[in-house]
Amino acid sequence: MLNGKFGIIFGVANKRSIAWATALALHEAGARLAFTYQGDRLKENVEGLTNEAMPGSLLLPCDVTKQDEVDATFRRVGEEFGRLDFLIHSIAYAPREALGGEYLDTSRDAFVTALEISAYSLVQLSRAAMPLMIEGGSIVCMSYYGAEKVVAGYNVMGVAKSALEASTRYLANDLGPRNIRVNAISAGPIQTLSARGVSDFSTMLKHHAERAALRRNVEAREVGATAVFLCSPMSSGITGEVIHVDCGYSIMGM
Ligand code: 0WD
């Protein structure tokens, strides 16, 4: 479905990352991939994963708070691929102390950091990718229900996800004339490295599995499969959308 397509994936930290499950699905669909990693701390992980599953992938250091690394990343992708067809944004961060207790206590620093890394980066990366998406493209980011409703402990990250989802719509409008589509996947809770930062995550998993329409939790590979759909021509009429891949949790009332 994606044979001959070139994509870049931001946010692989380890084998549990949603970005990694997404990469496997995109690779299986035939795409050639570039990966970024946030600093040397994650380099070995990404190298180990890609060497085994998809040798020859392009690996680039990119911390989104460092504009020179973002510039260098897209320069290298341009040199190597000549163009870009899709971008996966699977990045989020908030200081741990802000993910628990009352939202009311969120510090200015935590707020700015969370919004910069988790939401502004979508704008920043979309702008950098645009010149390489010469035949149109697809940009996909990862959100969560805490953007729409109060989820205890999710706090400033919920506010960042609201900004991410709104950015998805505004970017879809800006990039639509270039046939670049921008969509968000609102994933149900999945046990990953980031998830461990959310207080009482195991309670969240249990609650979700009991209440979701499908009475189970979503798997990362299901998020990956939706990303393949959003990067493929099968979704050519969909942009600015937030697609829930949450086993139907968000449709439930009482
Ligand atoms: O339940 C979950 N796990 C859900 C996650 C449910 C719904 C949505 N999501 C979202 C997350 O909010 C995030 O946007 O999916 C995305 C991926 O999250 P993940 O797969 O759960 O988490 P993880 O494997 O930790 O990957 C996120 C990565 C970072 O990992 P760590 O844990 O080391 O912070 O985001 C990257 C980093 O690799 N990241 C950055 N990348 C570049 N520059 C930066 C940065 N400054 N900060 C974090």
Side-chain angles (χ1 to χ4, degrees):
M1 208 188 299
L2 296 176
N3 285 323
K5 300 286 187 193
F6 295 97
I8 184 163
I9 304 193
F10 292 82
V12 177
N14 61 25
K15 68 173 189 320
R16 286 171 181 265
S17 296
I18 294 173
W20 180 244
T22 303
L24 289 172
L26 291 163
H27 172 73
E28 207 172 294
R32 168 110 198 264
L33 302 174
F35 292 86
T36 64
Y37 52 86
Q38 186 208 358
D40 286 338
R41 133 190 111 91
L42 296 176
K43 185 178 181 186
E44 262 176 47
N45 285 3
V46 181
E47 256 172 8
L49 289 169
T50 55
N51 282 347
E52 198 174 313
M54 44 193 102
S57 303
L58 186 57
L59 306 191
L60 303 163
C62 186
D63 182 324
V64 293
T65 61
K66 297 177 180 152
Q67 188 58 44
D68 56 328
E69 290 192 7
V70 174
D71 294 341
T73 293
F74 286 92
R75 205 178 318 120
R76 285 281 290 126
V77 168
E79 286 163 7
E80 200 76 22
F81 292 169
R83 67 160 213 274
L84 205 52
D85 299 295
F86 60 84
L87 181 153
I88 307 293
H89 176 288
S90 190
I91 292 173
Y93 175 77
R96 205 184 176 104
E97 72 273 10
L99 297 172
E102 295 193 344
Y103 176 62
L104 188 65
D105 293 329
T106 308
S107 69
R108 182 187 301 264
D109 275 357
F111 187 96
V112 170
T113 301
L115 271 284
E116 180 188 3
I117 297 176
S118 315
Y120 180 70
S121 59
L122 180 69
V123 185
Q124 176 189 23
L125 298 180
S126 298
R127 194 164 57 232
M130 183 184 73
L132 289 172
M133 293 189 161
I134 44 189
E135 293 173 20
S138 175
I139 296 169
V140 178
C141 64
M142 303 298 169
S143 192
Y144 174 63
Y145 188 61
E148 304 164 57
K149 302 281 179 187
V150 174
V151 174
Y154 203 60
N155 296 2
V156 72
M157 191 52 83
V159 175
K161 292 302 189 191
S162 291
L164 184 74
E165 293 185 6
S167 296
T168 297
R169 293 184 282 272
Y170 280 92
L171 291 169
N173 177 55
D174 288 345
L175 297 172
R178 295 173 182 260
N179 195 28
I180 299 171
R181 299 181 291 109
V182 189
N183 291 289
I185 294 174
S186 183
I190 296 169
Q191 191 72 263
T192 64
L193 197 61
S194 291
R196 274 195 239 140
V198 178
S199 54
D200 224 359
F201 189 76
S202 49
T203 310
M204 195 192 257
L205 275 178
K206 188 166 171 286
H207 170 86
H208 194 276
E210 282 166 5
R211 303 285 174 89
L214 293 176
R215 306 292 193 280
R216 65 172 176 86
N217 284 311
V218 76
E219 289 174 26
R221 61 171 181 81
E222 297 177 299
V223 175
T226 305
V228 171
F229 165 69
L230 287 173
C231 292
S232 83
M234 290 188 78
S235 60
S236 58
I238 302 176
T239 193
E241 197 65 71
V242 179
I243 299 190
H244 293 85
V245 183
D246 64 351
C247 294
Y249 179 85
S250 60
I251 63 159
M252 301 303 288
M254 218 177 99

